[in-house]
Amino acid sequence: MSQVITCIEDLRVLAKQRVPRMFYDYADSGGWTESTYRANEEDFQRIKLRQRVAVDMTNRTLETTMVGIPVAMPLALAPVGMTGMQHADGEILAARAANKAGVPFTLSTMSICSIEDVAENTDKPFWFQLYVMRDKDFVSRLLKRAKAAGVSALVLTLDLQILAQRHKDLKNGLTAPPRLTLPNLIDIGMKPRWWTGMLGTKRRTFRNIVGHAKGVSDMSALGAWTAEQFDPRLSWDEVKRIRGEWGGKLILKGILDLEDAEMAAQTGADALIVSNHGGRQLDGAISSIAALPAIAQAVGNRIEVHMDGGIRSGQDVIKAIALGAKGVYIGRAFTYGLGAMGEEGVAKALEIIRKELDLTMALCGHRDIKNISADILVGGAPAPTSAPASHLRAIG
C-alpha cells in the first residue's frame, strides 16, 4: 500500500529517508542553536483564526499578483542552494512543478542546475536570486545570463555577506566538493533512489559558477573561490547600482529590521522579503512572522512586502497575508517534496498548501484572497510599532 501524503510533514519524513544525510541536513538546519529556525515555525502556531459561518463560500479564488506578475496563489518557491542535491536535476523539476501550479520558481546563484539548464527545460519565465560577490565582472555576467534566459524578476539576497556557522554541515563534512568519509559513503549507498538518479545526470556541480567564474574550472577550485567571494562590503549604494544594471523587477531579500525596511523602500526596488534566511544566519533573531506586521505597516504603501520563513501549510500562508504580506515563499516545504518524490513531490507540496489555503480562507468567511486582512485573526491587526519586543506581542 502506497503511503498517503496529507501534509508537508509527511513529505519531510519521506525526504529524510531518501536523501543522503549531508544534503538533507543542509536544507533542514539552522545557525548555531537553531532557535530562530524553530521560532519561524512555532510563532505561526500562536496566531489564531476567526471561524465564520453562514456565509457564501462559492466561487473562491486565490489568484493575485506578486510584483505585478499574475500568480495562481500568493506564493513563490524560494531560492535554495544545492536544490539539485536533494534530487537529480532538482532545480529543473521544481521549476516545472511551479510552472504547472502557476507560481514563480526562484533559482539560486548556488544552484546545481544552471540558469541555462532551467531555461532550456522549462517553458515559462522564472526568477533568479543573486548573491553580491567581490568579482563584479562575474556578477555582471550573471545578470546578462539571467536577462538572456528571460528571467522576469531578480531576487537580491542581502543577509549573507558573511556565512554563519551551521553545526550539522561541519559534522557531516559538507564542503565543496563534499568529504566522502566512510560514514557518508555508507549513508549514500543506503539511498539507492538518490544515487541512481545522480548517476543519470550530468548536473552534479554548481553550474552557475564552474566554468563561468575566473579560475573555477572544477569542483576542487570552487570551495576556495566561494569562501572569499561573498562581499562583506555590501551597501545600499551597491543595491541601487545593481538595480540600475539589472533594469527589471527587483526584490530585496533578508529584511528583518524596521530601519532596514525604510532603507529598502528608498532604493526603488519593487518588493522586499521579510526574512531571516530560514534561521540559517543570525541565530537569536526574531522570527519572520513576528517581524512582518510592523514592517508591512511602516513601508507597505511604498514597497510591496513579501515574507519568507516557517511556511509549512496553507494556514501559515493566510496568516502571513492577513498580517500584511502580498506574497510568501516556501523553501524547505518544497525541498521536502523534491527529496521525497522529485517533481511529483514538489507538485504535491504545492497542492497541499493550495488546498489548505483555499479551505482556511472559506472557513474564515472569505472567497477572494485579495480581500484577506487582519480581520480574520483573533484580536485583529496589531498596533503599529517600531520596537522588536512589540513585534512579538503582535502575535502573542
Side-chain angles (χ1 to χ4, degrees):
M1 179 179 176
S2 61
Q3 182 174 346
V4 178
I5 304 294
T6 62
C7 60
I8 299 299
E9 175 63 12
D10 289 343
L11 292 172
R12 186 197 68 77
V13 171
L14 197 53
K16 190 172 184 179
Q17 295 169 1
R18 294 180 172 178
V19 178
R21 181 178 56 249
M22 68 163 62
F23 300 121
Y24 171 83
D25 281 352
Y26 168 78
D28 196 41
S29 63
W32 289 306
T33 70
E34 300 190 336
S35 67
T36 298
Y37 167 33
R38 293 191 299 273
N40 274 350
E41 294 184 51
E42 292 168 356
D43 283 356
F44 270 107
Q45 305 311 309
R46 298 164 55 193
I47 305 169
K48 302 305 176 185
L49 300 163
R50 293 176 63 199
Q51 176 180 295
R52 303 304 302 276
V53 298
V55 294
D56 185 354
M57 296 181 179
T58 60
N59 301 317
R60 298 187 302 278
T61 178
L62 300 176
E63 293 181 358
T64 183
T65 61
M66 293 175 68
V67 294
I69 297 172
V71 291
M73 57 179 163
L75 178 147
L77 269 58
V80 178
M82 296 200 295
T83 298
M85 286 301 178
Q86 302 297 317
H87 189 286
D89 296 336
E91 289 89 359
I92 292 171
L93 302 184
R96 285 176 175 170
N99 287 350
K100 291 173 184 175
V103 299
F105 167 77
T106 314
L107 181 70
S108 171
T109 294
M110 305 303 292
S111 59
I112 301 302
C113 300
S114 68
I115 297 169
E116 294 79 10
D117 289 331
V118 175
E120 290 166 6
N121 289 279
T122 55
D123 56 8
K124 293 181 182 177
F126 56 96
W127 297 357
F128 179 67
Q129 173 270 335
L130 177 70
Y131 287 120
V132 179
M133 306 288 193
R134 292 177 186 266
D135 187 340
K136 303 308 178 189
D137 180 61
F138 171 72
V139 170
S140 291
R141 283 184 279 113
L142 262 182
L143 293 177
K144 289 176 183 175
R145 290 167 59 197
K147 290 177 186 177
V151 165
S152 54
L154 182 71
V155 177
L156 179 60
T157 294
L158 302 178
D159 59 356
L160 202 88
Q161 291 172 262
I162 56 173
L163 187 65
Q165 180 167 308
R166 299 155 196 169
H167 298 335
K168 291 176 182 175
D169 289 350
L170 294 175
K171 291 177 179 178
N172 288 332
L174 187 64
T175 57
R179 245 188 9 250
L180 295 179
T181 62
L182 182 59
N184 282 341
L185 288 170
I186 292 172
D187 181 54
I188 290 171
M190 295 173 67
K191 308 294 193 300
R193 290 171 60 105
W194 183 88
W195 62 256
T196 53
M198 294 305 296
L199 287 176
T201 181
K202 61 185 179 181
R203 304 177 184 97
R204 295 191 291 268
T205 185
F206 293 94
R207 287 167 64 90
N208 281 329
I209 299 171
V210 174
H212 295 281
K214 185 177 180 181
V216 184
S217 58
D218 54 38
M219 281 288 281
S220 62
L222 182 64
W225 183 88
T226 303
E228 65 182 24
Q229 276 300 316
F230 290 106
D231 193 348
R233 300 165 299 183
L234 174 62
S235 67
W236 290 109
D237 286 340
E238 179 70 1
V239 171
K240 292 176 182 177
R241 188 196 67 77
I242 290 172
R243 175 177 174 258
E245 183 176 357
W246 170 246
K249 294 182 183 296
L250 177 66
I251 302 169
L252 304 179
K253 182 175 184 287
I255 305 298
L256 205 64
D257 186 88
L258 271 179
E259 290 185 25
D260 289 337
E262 290 285 351
M263 296 298 292
Q266 294 172 26
T267 64
D270 297 273
L272 64 82
I273 307 175
V274 178
S275 173
N276 51 35
H277 214 94
R280 294 163 65 79
Q281 282 293 93
L282 178 59
D283 189 40
I286 63 172
S287 69
S288 296
I289 193 62
L292 173 64
I295 290 175
Q297 289 166 14
V299 302
N301 63 337
R302 288 177 281 150
I303 185 172
E304 195 166 300
V305 175
H306 299 171
M307 178 266 173
D308 164 79
I311 300 285
R312 301 291 184 272
S313 69
Q315 290 209 333
D316 294 340
V317 175
I318 204 168
K319 290 172 182 178
I321 299 301
L323 289 173
K326 299 301 182 184
V328 305
Y329 296 72
I330 57 169
R332 292 183 176 96
F334 94 78
T335 61
Y336 296 151
L338 181 66
M341 301 188 299
E343 182 178 342
E344 179 188 356
V346 179
K348 187 66 176 179
L350 290 167
E351 176 194 327
I352 288 168
I353 289 176
R354 180 184 177 84
K355 183 176 181 180
E356 290 174 346
L357 175 57
D358 177 57
L359 292 177
T360 301
M361 182 174 70
L363 293 171
C364 288
H366 283 269
R367 296 189 293 176
D368 189 335
I369 195 70
K370 293 187 290 294
N371 295 332
I372 294 299
S373 71
D375 290 344
I376 72 164
L377 306 179
V378 174
T385 179
S386 61
S390 296
H391 294 188
L392 295 174
R393 286 199 295 274
I395 65 170

